[in-house]
Amino acid sequence: MLSISPLTQHIGAEIKGINLAGDTSDDAIAKVNATLAERGVVTIRDQHLTIEQFMAFSRRMGPLAIHSLNQFSKPGMPELMVNSNIIENGKPIGLADAGRDWHTDSAYTERPYRTTILYSVEIPVRDGVALGDTIFASTSAAYASLDDTLKQRLAGLHAVHAHGVAREKRGGGLALEEKQHREIHKGVEHPVVRTHPATGSKCLYVDEGTTARIVGMEAAASEALVKQLLEHVLQPQYLYRHNWRVGDILMWDNCSTLHCALGDYLPTERRLIYRTLIQGTVPI
Ligand code: SIN
């Protein structure tokens, strides 16, 4: 029997009573997608999936996208990305530092991904505590609590998003592949407040990772406004922190949430997570 429980007041839900390795009904998949749209983040724990079963589940959630930074796709499976710090035969098998800044996936593209789906295969554990948590913030709950004056000020504003903005601001250089990726994704405009395609709720759509500036504002004023909005979104009441276990499915909605992955483990503490992406729509 499928059950759905909220993880915090504003964000996240855990779904139990569903075995993704078995026959999952269309009705169950529809409930997962509806919960994701309503709660922003969904986890389904204790799954035992082959890569093929993970891919089959992902495909049923929606049409899969292929990430343009694809050197860490699984060979022969362009839609399956690998987040990992594991080195095999002297070569990294995955992207070791995916998502260390607060961001929403592929905001630097015309049609950012609707959903990201992860499946954990190896999680670093030290002294009995799992490391490398992924933290989420609800941009819909945060928007809803803004005062009307600020909502009016934001209406109609657009921001420019580019790949690697946070890394550049910190002074960290971009790796060669990332520089090439940046050349392709050097600036796309999206509304600062976007409307969720399924629920119609309004969501703040600025982040640390990709938001370069707000169109039509001086640099200092633009930075101050983005900082103010991020400080608002990242208040504890809008957050959910996922402490990983092996066998977790964790998925999120890239319109109504921001996320960041903690890098609090050593290169020798193995982490292996598979990732798929569902195609999205142009933000409006
Ligand atoms: C990401 O995909 O942005 C990183 C998520 C994670 O590895 O925890």
Side-chain angles (χ1 to χ4, degrees):
M1 179 72 176
L2 188 146
S3 73
I4 302 171
S5 325
L7 292 164
T8 72
Q9 183 188 353
H10 292 299
I11 180 171
E14 179 171 2
I15 298 187
K16 289 186 179 163
I18 181 168
N19 172 13
L20 301 177
D23 273 346
T24 310
S25 67
D26 289 346
D27 184 49
I29 295 288
K31 282 201 175 94
V32 174
N33 257 325
T35 308
L36 194 51
E38 287 298 329
R39 302 293 304 168
V41 177
V42 166
T43 186
I44 306 173
R45 310 197 90 163
D46 304 316
Q47 300 297 307
H48 304 278
L49 304 180
T50 61
I51 290 183
E52 289 74 20
Q53 286 166 332
F54 174 56
M55 293 303 289
F57 164 66
S58 299
R59 272 196 195 95
R60 290 190 67 198
M61 290 290 290
L64 293 185
I66 298 179
H67 199 287
S68 46
L69 194 61
N70 61 0
Q71 81 268 34
F72 292 123
S73 293
K74 192 98 178 146
M77 295 183 150
E79 295 132 330
L80 182 72
M81 291 186 74
V82 180
N83 285 358
S84 185
N85 58 355
I86 298 172
I87 310 279
E88 271 173 11
N89 302 320
K91 280 196 177 157
I93 65 163
L95 187 58
D97 62 350
R100 295 284 159 79
D101 304 293
W102 282 99
H103 70 287
T104 167
D105 289 334
S106 77
Y108 49 77
T109 64
E110 296 279 347
R111 287 196 328 148
Y113 310 126
R114 184 191 89 198
T115 303
T116 305
I117 308 178
L118 303 190
Y119 176 60
S120 55
V121 179
E122 291 187 59
I123 294 297
V125 176
R126 198 187 305 152
D127 301 326
V129 178
L131 303 172
D133 291 359
T134 310
I135 314 178
F136 297 88
S138 170
T139 57
S140 51
Y143 176 82
S145 67
L146 290 177
D147 64 52
D148 286 345
T149 315
L150 187 48
K151 282 182 179 164
Q152 276 158 22
R153 186 175 167 215
L154 299 179
L157 287 184
H158 284 70
V160 176
H161 295 260
H163 174 72
V165 166
R167 217 171 281 198
E168 273 188 343
K169 279 191 184 155
R170 279 200 308 273
L174 298 178
L176 179 62
E177 295 84 2
E178 287 193 311
K179 276 196 188 132
Q180 290 161 351
H181 199 231
R182 171 61 175 264
E183 273 312 296
I184 306 167
H185 299 295
K186 51 187 166 218
V188 64
E189 285 182 21
H190 292 309
V192 166
V193 177
R194 65 178 283 199
T195 303
H196 194 282
T199 64
S201 63
K202 291 196 187 293
C203 305
L204 285 171
Y205 200 64
V206 288
D207 67 4
E208 275 177 348
T210 70
T211 309
R213 64 193 160 77
I214 295 182
V215 178
M217 288 179 79
E218 295 293 328
S222 162
E223 262 190 44
L225 181 55
V226 172
K227 184 166 177 282
Q228 179 189 352
L229 295 175
L230 284 174
E231 280 174 2
H232 176 70
V233 176
L234 301 181
Q235 294 179 87
Q237 66 269 33
Y238 305 127
L239 302 185
Y240 164 65
R241 180 169 174 152
H242 189 76
N243 185 238
W244 285 94
R245 298 200 307 243
V246 169
D248 284 352
I249 288 282
L250 180 69
M251 46 201 144
W252 62 86
D253 180 301
N254 281 301
C255 174
S256 62
T257 64
L258 298 183
H259 64 280
C260 94
L262 295 187
D264 58 354
Y265 51 95
L266 301 170
T268 49
E269 294 176 303
R270 291 167 64 107
R271 187 176 196 260
L272 172 60
I273 290 186
Y274 292 136
R275 173 167 118 142
T276 51
L277 303 158
I278 308 290
Q279 292 172 20
T281 50
V282 175
I284 49 171

